[in-house]
Amino acid sequence: MSRPARRKADPVLDAAVEIARASAEDVAEVAAHVGEHLGTMTVEDRLVEHRFAATMPGYQGWAWTVTLARVPRGRTATVCEVELLPGDGAILAPEWLPWSERIRPGDVGPGDILPFVADDPRLAPGWEPSGDDELDAVAIGELALARARILSEDGVAEAAQRWYDGAAGPRSASAQAASDPCLSCGYLVPLQGALGQVFGVCTNPWSPDDGRVVAFDHGCGAHSETDVPERPSDWPAPNPLIDEARIDVVSLERPAPADDPAED
């Protein structure tokens, strides 16, 4: 196996430090932003890179890279390009992600509009009138399917998993401390469709989940059928005081015995 040929140093291009610095300062527009000379690297024959430290704030580890070249047997260096390139330890921007992968729940604020996603896997085509009055009445009136798109099976499963694993599920702090689940609470209004098999909406104004979707096995301290357990008072009544040193004598007169009729 042959080793790659080692490129020879180019004395003409290696010595052209000031030409390379002047080119970097011209691109940087502020001469102070071009720092110390960090060295040279031979790219090809008669092609050399000069590197200078970048001293601008926020560009730690970056370097101005100036590429010089010369013609065969030429003694004059020519500037090919000037670039600002990252080096070891450079602060780089995170890898770019499309908005659909970057956005997180809660990022959309008032006035924000998300772009339309034609192939959203969480949605499926909605109901189109079939001409069958009875079938259309059930689909549109009862199931509310008269929309361009509705939740797909993937959309239902994704929402159910997200809700169940979050604060509305059985593993939240309030659910762990509750004595009874939401399923037996009178304030729970079940959802329709597939999600209604597991979730409902809380309507109790005293609950921390009022107006929110909760799982049937979620819970809180405002359950309609639970009560605070009775316990002894923290301030029990004192024992009655009895003054045993004083005695009140009360005389009771006995009624005279009645005459016995048998004695007559």
Side-chain angles (χ1 to χ4, degrees):
M1 181 178 178
S2 61
R3 296 182 179 180
R6 185 175 182 180
R7 300 186 180 96
K8 298 180 180 180
D10 193 308
V12 175
L13 298 179
D14 289 345
V17 176
E18 294 307 318
I19 295 177
R21 176 180 292 277
S23 300
E25 292 176 351
D26 184 58
V27 173
E29 297 183 354
V30 177
H33 289 171
V34 180
E36 63 176 322
H37 185 248
L38 301 178
T40 61
M41 183 180 69
T42 301
V43 181
E44 296 286 350
D45 291 340
R46 298 182 299 280
L47 188 66
V48 172
E49 288 182 352
H50 285 261
R51 300 177 68 248
F52 300 88
T55 59
M56 303 88 71
Y59 282 85
Q60 178 181 351
W62 288 68
W64 295 101
T65 303
V66 182
T67 305
L68 302 180
R70 66 180 180 86
V71 297
R73 304 193 182 203
R75 312 301 294 176
T76 303
T78 302
V79 178
C80 297
E81 60 182 0
V82 179
E83 296 179 287
L84 184 60
L85 299 177
D88 295 337
I91 301 175
L92 302 175
E95 184 179 355
W96 183 87
L97 291 175
W99 71 267
S100 57
E101 299 178 24
R102 188 170 62 251
I103 194 169
R104 291 292 179 266
D107 289 347
V108 180
D112 294 339
I113 300 176
L114 293 180
F116 178 79
V117 181
D119 56 351
D120 193 333
R122 298 168 299 174
L123 297 174
W127 181 265
E128 295 183 2
S130 64
D132 186 325
D133 294 339
E134 183 177 353
L135 189 62
D136 291 344
V138 173
I140 297 175
E142 298 182 17
L143 301 181
L145 301 182
R147 289 166 284 167
R149 293 188 294 177
I150 59 173
L151 274 179
S152 64
E153 293 184 2
D154 290 342
V156 172
E158 182 180 323
Q161 193 66 53
R162 184 175 64 251
W163 293 348
Y164 200 81
D165 292 341
R171 289 185 288 272
S172 66
S174 64
Q176 294 291 326
S179 58
D180 289 292
C182 294
L183 180 61
S184 58
C185 181
Y187 295 109
L188 181 75
V189 178
L191 297 178
Q192 291 184 341
L195 291 173
Q197 300 177 15
V198 184
F199 300 98
V201 176
C202 176
T203 64
N204 187 353
W206 303 113
S207 170
D209 299 305
D210 180 37
R212 299 178 180 176
V213 173
V214 292
F216 288 166
D217 49 358
H218 183 65
C220 73
H223 192 284
S224 64
E225 307 307 317
T226 60
D227 195 3
V228 177
E230 294 185 2
R231 63 178 185 178
S233 173
D234 292 333
W235 296 276
N239 295 327
L241 297 177
I242 301 176
D243 188 356
E244 299 179 349
R246 178 179 177 181
I247 301 176
D248 294 335
V249 179
V250 178
S251 59
L252 298 176
E253 296 182 359
R254 291 186 176 183
D259 295 338
D260 189 352
E263 297 179 356
D264 293 342

